[in-house]
Amino acid sequence: MLSLKALQKNKTFRYGVPMLLLVVGSSFGLREFAQIRYDAQKLNKKLDPSLAAKVNMEKQSVMLEEEFEKMKDVNLDDWKNIRGPRPGENSREYQEQQRMRRTPES
């Protein structure tokens, strides 16, 4: 059996075991601190009941079929891509120029 002096001279026991304990222990410590953070965020996210009801109604009111019906009626054949202004260009002047070029064909 190894004596206490032999264990103190062993590099694995002297440096490896404390390092292993530090790594494993810190992962558990980080988990606890992160859990505290998420619990605090959950408490701060609670909404006013009237506001929460309004948000839920907005989420429920949008249906995929309704959006499809809106898009089905849009005429995409006459659509033309107009690029936005580049840095340094006057956006209003450029948009007016693009609109003038985009006259409907008769």
Side-chain angles (χ1 to χ4, degrees), residues 52-87:
K54 185 176 179 182
V55 169
N56 288 336
M57 289 298 293
E58 289 176 4
K59 286 181 182 177
Q60 293 173 357
S61 66
V62 178
M63 296 288 181
L64 187 60
E65 291 82 13
E66 293 173 7
E67 291 298 318
F68 176 71
E69 292 299 324
K70 289 179 191 175
M71 293 304 295
K72 190 167 68 170
D73 296 335
V74 175
N75 184 8
L76 296 177
D77 294 332
D78 296 334
W79 181 79
K80 182 178 179 185
N81 189 19
I82 300 176
R83 80 164 175 87
R86 293 185 175 143

Side-chain angles (χ1 to χ4, degrees), residues 92-102:
R92 294 203 185 270
E93 286 180 17
Y94 187 76
Q95 288 174 359
E96 290 301 321
Q97 289 174 358
Q98 290 294 317
R99 286 189 183 109
M100 296 302 282
R101 291 184 195 166
R102 197 181 121 182

Side-chain angles (χ1 to χ4, degrees), residues 1-8 10 13:
M1 192 152 137
L2 295 175
S3 68
L4 187 58
K5 287 189 178 189
L7 284 176
Q8 287 177 348
N10 188 348
F13 185 76

Side-chain angles (χ1 to χ4, degrees), residues 29-46:
L30 278 174
R31 182 176 157 259
E32 292 301 318
F33 282 116
Q35 188 63 42
I36 292 169
R37 175 181 159 199
Y38 294 131
D39 290 342
Q41 286 179 355
K42 189 182 285 186
L43 289 175
N44 290 338
K45 281 188 177 180
K46 291 189 179 180

